[in-house]
Amino acid sequence: KTSGFPFLIVNWKITPSLTLANPFTVGPVGPAGLELSWGLTPQFEIGVGAAMRQFQYRLAKNNPLAPDGVLEEQYAPVFLHAAYKIQPNWRFDAYTGVAAGGKFTILDKNGNELNNEKAKKIPFFGFAVNGRF
């Protein structure tokens, strides 16, 4: 089964220091979503954002509940982000947040729902150092 998801690309400079955009850098929530960021100085910015995530995994043929079925995972990570430009070509990013609204669904090989379960909120933290040579 093939599915699609509409994706709106946003890069809106609301004011010289306030931007609403898709965070395309890889972070703990992956690329995309929406982030509202505020440039406190030319080197330092903070932001808040959210995204929707949905993944599907094929289950093994010998799975006792759904042989050759699918496990579907859905959640919405909500995060805080801080970035510091060490030099023009180097940047440090730190993230913290929570994956909320999680749901796991098990489907049989014909796509019929067998079971679903809500997930607890999952806190996360991550950081990245990016550089260009």
Side-chain angles (χ1 to χ4, degrees), residues 26-65:
V26 175
V29 299
L34 276 178
E35 180 179 2
L36 181 64
S37 59
W38 179 32
L40 299 169
T41 69
Q43 290 82 27
F44 185 67
E45 74 178 44
I46 58 173
V48 61
M52 289 295 299
R53 295 287 175 251
Q54 179 177 352
F55 301 100
Q56 292 184 336
Y57 309 96
R58 177 65 62 189
L59 300 174
K61 291 181 191 282
N62 63 353
N63 183 284
L65 181 59

Side-chain angles (χ1 to χ4, degrees), residues 4-23:
F5 185 80
F7 185 86
L8 180 63
I9 297 175
V10 177
N11 190 2
W12 179 23
K13 196 90 163 155
I14 300 168
T15 70
S17 61
L18 193 64
T19 304
L20 180 66
N22 307 103

Side-chain angles (χ1 to χ4, degrees), residues 3 5 11 17 19 28 35 44 46 59 66 71-74 85 87 93-94 98 105 107 113 115 118 121:
S3 62
F5 185 80
N11 190 2
S17 61
T19 304
E35 180 179 2
F44 185 67
I46 58 173
L59 300 174
L71 169 64
E72 186 174 273
E73 172 187 10
Q74 298 175 344
K85 292 179 186 170
Q87 294 178 1
D93 294 277
V98 64
T105 304
L107 307 167
E113 184 176 315
N115 190 17
K118 290 187 178 186
K121 293 180 177 85

